[in-house]
Amino acid sequence: MFTLNDIPMFLVNFFIILPIVTLVHEAGHVLIARLFGGKVKFCIGTGRTLFQIASLEVRRKYFMEGWCQYEKLTYNKTWAHVAIYLGGSLFNLIVILIINYLITSNMIPVTLFFYQFTYFSIYFIFFSLMPFRNDDGRPSDGMAVFDVLRYGKSADPID
């Protein structure tokens, strides 16, 4: 049952953990795209731009969503595009495995923060790989993989 005592953790989840999970996800796309020589721009949030650091743009509603856009791959093959689209979920999975390893090795404590971080990471993986298009017509990562395999095209930006 949700009570007033749960509000602080809800705020931590919404304004800290979820944006970090989003950043990890987008970093996966960015790293894989850069490995294939792509020029990359990525963003956390929606609305007006708050600030920009190199190719990362942070927007006013930083807790809402994220995207990554790449172009000019040096190695422009179908499987490179598939790897880029799957890179976000792969990074989320790697971080989950690292957290679990650190907890089982008693290197970090079992806390609600890490539990929630893992929960939101699994949520991100699940919905990112589900093939669908949002209201703007942008594909999820799963739909982008489907498009690349079926039509041989990339679908930027990456969500």
Side-chain angles (χ1 to χ4, degrees):
M1 173 190 261
F2 189 83
T3 66
L4 290 177
N5 293 335
D6 296 318
I7 291 175
M9 193 63 204
F10 169 78
L11 295 173
V12 168
N13 287 334
F14 197 69
F15 292 110
I16 298 172
I17 295 174
L18 190 55
I20 293 171
V21 170
T22 304
L23 186 61
V24 167
H25 184 88
E26 299 307 329
H29 294 305
V30 169
L31 180 67
I32 303 295
R34 285 190 176 155
L35 285 174
F36 291 116
K39 182 178 177 181
V40 181
K41 179 180 179 183
F42 69 115
C43 176
I44 302 298
T46 62
R48 283 193 342 232
T49 301
L50 284 176
F51 61 90
Q52 186 168 350
I53 302 171
S55 61
L56 168 63
E57 188 175 295
V58 177
R59 296 195 178 179
R60 188 176 200 175
K61 299 173 195 162
Y62 68 92
F63 47 86
M64 292 294 285
E65 64 179 24
W67 56 263
C68 173
Q69 191 169 9
Y70 69 92
E71 58 185 26
K72 300 179 183 175
L73 294 181
T74 304
Y75 194 79
N76 193 9
K77 301 289 184 190
T78 299
W79 69 270
H81 291 278
V82 169
I84 293 167
Y85 291 122
L86 295 178
S89 292
L90 179 64
F91 261 48
N92 287 126
L93 180 61
I94 288 169
V95 171
I96 289 169
L97 294 174
I98 290 171
I99 287 172
N100 283 330
Y101 172 77
L102 294 174
I103 288 172
T104 58
S105 299
N106 294 320
M107 298 172 90
I108 60 174
V110 177
T111 64
L112 188 56
F113 181 88
F114 293 122
Y115 173 81
Q116 296 289 19
F117 188 93
T118 300
Y119 172 82
F120 281 112
S121 294
I122 292 169
Y123 174 89
F124 246 72
I125 292 168
F126 180 79
F127 284 105
S128 139
L129 295 179
M130 185 180 291
F132 68 92
R133 294 190 190 284
N134 68 14
D135 293 341
D136 296 336
R138 291 187 317 192
S140 67
D141 295 342
M143 192 71 197
V145 168
F146 178 77
D147 287 346
V148 167
L149 294 175
R150 185 162 184 193
Y151 305 113
K153 64 177 184 175
S154 69
D156 290 326
I158 303 170
D159 288 329

